[in-house]
Amino acid sequence: MSAIAEVSPEGVERLPLKVFTEKAYLDYSMYVILDRALPRLADGLKPVQRRILYAMSELGLSAAAKHKKSARTVGDVLGKFHPHGDSACYEAMVLMAQPFSYRYPLIDGQGNWGSQDDPKSFAAMRYTEARLAPYAQLLLAELGQGTVTWGPNFDGTLEEPEVLPARLPNILLNGGAGIAVGMATDIPPHNLREVAAACIHLLSHPEAGLDEIMAHLPGPDFPTEAEIVTPPAEIRRLYGTGQGSLRLRARWRREQGDIVIDALPYQVSGARVLEQIARQMQARKLPWVEDLRDESDHENPVRLVIVPRSNRVDPERLMSHLFATTDLERSYRVNINLIGLDGRPRVMGLVPLLREWLRFRTQTLRRRLQYRLDQVLDRLHVLAGLLVAYLNIDEVIAIIRHEDDPKAELMARFGLSERQAEAILNLRLRHLARLEEMRIRAEQAELEEERRRLEELLGSEAALHGLMREEIQADAEKYGDARRSSLVERPPAEALDEHATAPAEPVTLVLSEKGWIRAGKGHELDPERLAYKSGDRFLAAARVRSNQQVALLDSSGRAYGLAAQGLASARSQGEPLTGRLNPPSGAAFVALLGGEPQALWVLASDAGYGFATPLQGLLAKNKAGKAVVTLPAGARLLPPRALGDPEYDLIAVVSNEGRLLVFPAKELPRLGRGKGNKLIDIPRARAEQRLEFVRDLVVLPAGAVLRVYAGKRHLNLRPGDLEAFRGERGRRGSKLPRGFQRVERLEGLDRAKPA
């Protein structure tokens, strides 16, 4: 801005456009930041809010006064202090009157001032009436006591306070939000009693740290009674830096089988929440819910009822889904950006903010006491002059009656000041009674005691802080209330897909060799008795719940995820999997796996390699699946086997040459995909020529019997017999007895089951 404006002969100023626009935009930015968008630390108010409160106090609209039309207040504010639009001014007034928007409303409204469902549904200002709320006295009570600096209004005809003398940090109590140029502010509200306790502690312990302050002020407190589920460590980080975020979650309970929501997050509409839930129901993405009701009324401002479809619905999982997908849980940005005592905007943490506000309060209190002391000294000075007059009443009367300039004569005769002489001349005749002298002396004694006390307070920082503590405590008892937003730790919300949110009915999924799948109700279904297409037959079955997913494996080693819900009925012959999945050309489905997502399965190839993996890792989300088992050339996938207890189970592997190896399951590697580790040693040359390969693999629980099938014969190997075939994973294994070396398959039998 170093460019100097040129002035033409006609008196027109000329500036380069770049310089002019830069200066104009900077001036506008500073105006928006300092005079519109950001609150001041001292009283927590923006200029329009401060002017509304001051105008109402000037109109005599105290908490004890009769309500007056809002248009009257808005007119005074616009005409005297705030020359802007009436709608913006009225909206600011409405916001300060809404108990669901302000933690401690500053205005007591009468009429339609909006609702939590629609805060902007308030009536026009010609219909509503307002007066100051009792809490506003915390900001206005000391206004006429010399506590703050005054400045001219927009046209210089009146004076207005630059800040209000707040007795408590309103910047924290009611918070604030605003968008300026290049910066914004989002300050959450807090509980009055907790803020007061933090201020008192900081007065007594000036070096207190954040942890000590948070013992008194653990977190924000919003007007609604929703839960704050942000972890304490995040709240501490937020208070330390002045920036962060908060998560609020609706409060709910069970009532005769229904779910009742009785508190919503801050600035969340109940109608909007019901609309979001209803939209999911219409899209058939929420089969757990049968009905919704809004039972809110005057006695219960928030009462939303969700009716589950059956008593088997898990309410915790349902609500977790709704928290993740609707406004029943919301995140709020926190940015404690404000205008400090030096008039500059900056982001502040909790402890620096409280320290600076206490410095403001100390200055305000000192100015109030000094103002009162000046009044007391002035009155004592006047009383001293009046006492002289009463002691010399006859002479004073004579001077007044006979002298042309009685003031000068009184000052000269009795050594009075002009202020004292003026007070004597203004006395009424009825105050000349003898009794008045006694009243003067009593008032003098009273004022002397007050003067002594005021000077003591002003002369001692400790005494001043003691008075501050007493006043803060008194205000907390008068205006404070209990915390509304409880601070709780909850698990993160988790959105479930429409299959996971379905009722958990038992179903049996049946897969045929040709890749046709179907689902039957219950777990008693015998899949081998079902009718199959000509040339097709039973391959695999999985007994699961209807809200679970199953995994499918194809001959190429790819895995797919498929929801158990919505499949063709077992009464029919099913549907082809190719209509739902997209396997590689030439690949056939060979396995169907179901159960808990964390359950382990052994995946192996007949080349003698394998690994253990959880079912959850096989549930691919896309139709093309994902590669899981890497098959060596010419190898095929063995049927997957479920692991019960990896610490105690055994793995039995047998080759087509009759070599059996039994090793602990805990020696299996845990992998997400790949070829795996060697399970049994097969010479490379024999493996490449497919002369030797793994015939079968089974998992043996502790104490189980291994049955070996060879043709029409079978051999039972009990736990003692298995010791001859035990070894480390990857060994060659031992030969089975003669006659059982051409193994067809293995089977594990429980010890309790007849062998």
Side-chain angles (χ1 to χ4, degrees), residues 376-390 396 400 406-428 440 444 448:
V376 168
L377 291 175
D378 179 68
R379 182 61 180 166
L380 284 172
H381 181 64
V382 170
L383 289 177
L386 292 178
L387 192 58
V388 169
Y390 283 112
V396 168
I400 293 173
K407 182 195 288 189
E409 185 62 29
L410 288 171
M411 293 170 62
R413 174 68 182 81
F414 300 108
L416 302 174
S417 67
E418 185 175 352
R419 178 87 170 85
Q420 290 171 321
E422 191 68 38
I424 293 171
L425 292 174
N426 289 334
L427 274 175
R428 295 185 179 182
I440 289 174
Q444 271 186 324
E448 283 290 346

Side-chain angles (χ1 to χ4, degrees), residues 74 125 715:
V74 173
M125 58 184 166
L715 172 68

